[in-house]
Amino acid sequence: MVKIIGCAAALMAIPFSAPAFAQAAADPAASGQSSYTINIGDELEIYVWGEERLQRVLHVLPDGTIAFPLVGQLKIQGLLPQAVEKLVSERLKSQYKGDVPNVTVTVRSAAGLSFSVVGKVRSPGSFAPGRFINVLDAVSLAGGPAEFANLDGVTIIRHKGDQLITFKVKLGSLFKGSTGGGVLDKNNIVPLVAGDIVVVP
């Protein structure tokens, strides 16, 4: 399974449920599950154990679906890989007298993961790096901070349903190389999701 290491930063209120968001953005290493939601354009590998005929590498289509043998069309945009595993298993039940073999869904390429970086960076714009990325990577891809950028006031704006949420991260010490040799605060190394906007004031 694909894993993204990181956890949510302190959230600022544009109406949302803080406990629910914090739980969803918690470090996935603790549960052994991915917290990455599937996007249009992502490349997936779906593997049904012991069934060579049911092994496919697929791209998520522009309508957010995939087509899988014996299963048909599935709408998977915005779902976690483990949720897609359950969907495929449910659809395969009618094909087996006993238990359905284990289904594994892996994100091979996060090609649909696009985001924007704006504000005081050297090359602001939209990016689609084709891999998992965090806020520190995003600022680096945007050419790094411009002069007088406030790296301890970086804001991430994220769509959640029909609402927007924002949260702050502090990157100043990381860019200055003054981490002190200690353990980095994971709250400041936030994984990005499709559609995020990183604002560097």
Side-chain angles (χ1 to χ4, degrees):
M1 297 294 295
V2 173
K3 296 181 180 179
I4 304 176
I5 304 302
C7 61
L11 303 180
M12 297 172 57
I14 296 177
F16 70 101
S17 169
F21 183 83
Q23 182 179 9
D27 185 349
S31 63
Q33 295 185 324
S34 172
S35 65
Y36 177 79
T37 56
I38 293 168
N39 301 295
I40 292 170
D42 284 351
E43 182 181 75
L44 308 180
E45 181 176 28
I46 302 181
Y47 184 92
V48 180
W49 289 89
E51 292 279 9
E52 289 188 7
R53 61 184 179 140
L54 297 178
Q55 299 174 19
R56 293 288 189 280
V57 174
L58 302 168
H59 285 88
V60 182
L61 299 176
D63 62 356
T65 68
I66 57 169
F68 194 72
L70 304 180
V71 170
Q73 207 83 2
L74 291 175
K75 179 77 171 180
I76 64 169
Q77 180 187 6
L79 297 182
L80 299 171
Q82 51 266 30
V84 179
E85 291 172 355
K86 291 179 181 178
L87 272 179
V88 173
S89 293
E90 286 293 325
R91 292 284 188 93
L92 288 175
K93 277 185 177 179
S94 62
Q95 306 294 323
Y96 295 88
K97 292 182 179 179
D99 294 335
V100 177
N102 287 337
V103 177
T104 301
V105 175
T106 304
V107 180
R108 290 180 45 155
S109 172
L113 176 55
S114 61
F115 59 90
S116 298
V117 184
V118 299
K120 292 181 180 177
V121 290
R122 299 187 185 278
S123 300
S126 296
F127 303 88
R131 60 184 174 86
F132 303 127
I133 202 162
N134 60 47
V135 64
L136 182 61
D137 296 324
V139 174
S140 297
L141 279 176
E147 191 175 7
F148 305 122
N150 177 13
L151 291 172
D152 286 330
V154 175
T155 300
I156 299 173
I157 302 172
R158 179 169 296 174
H159 290 273
K160 189 170 180 65
D162 59 354
Q163 296 180 334
L164 291 176
I165 61 173
T166 68
F167 47 105
K168 297 278 191 181
V169 293
K170 295 182 178 182
L171 302 177
S173 62
L174 297 176
F175 274 91
K176 293 173 184 175
S178 56
T179 59
V183 178
L184 294 176
D185 184 355
K186 292 188 295 183
N187 287 335
N188 292 315
I189 313 296
V190 179
L192 297 186
V193 303
D196 276 359
I197 301 172
V198 179
V199 182
V200 181

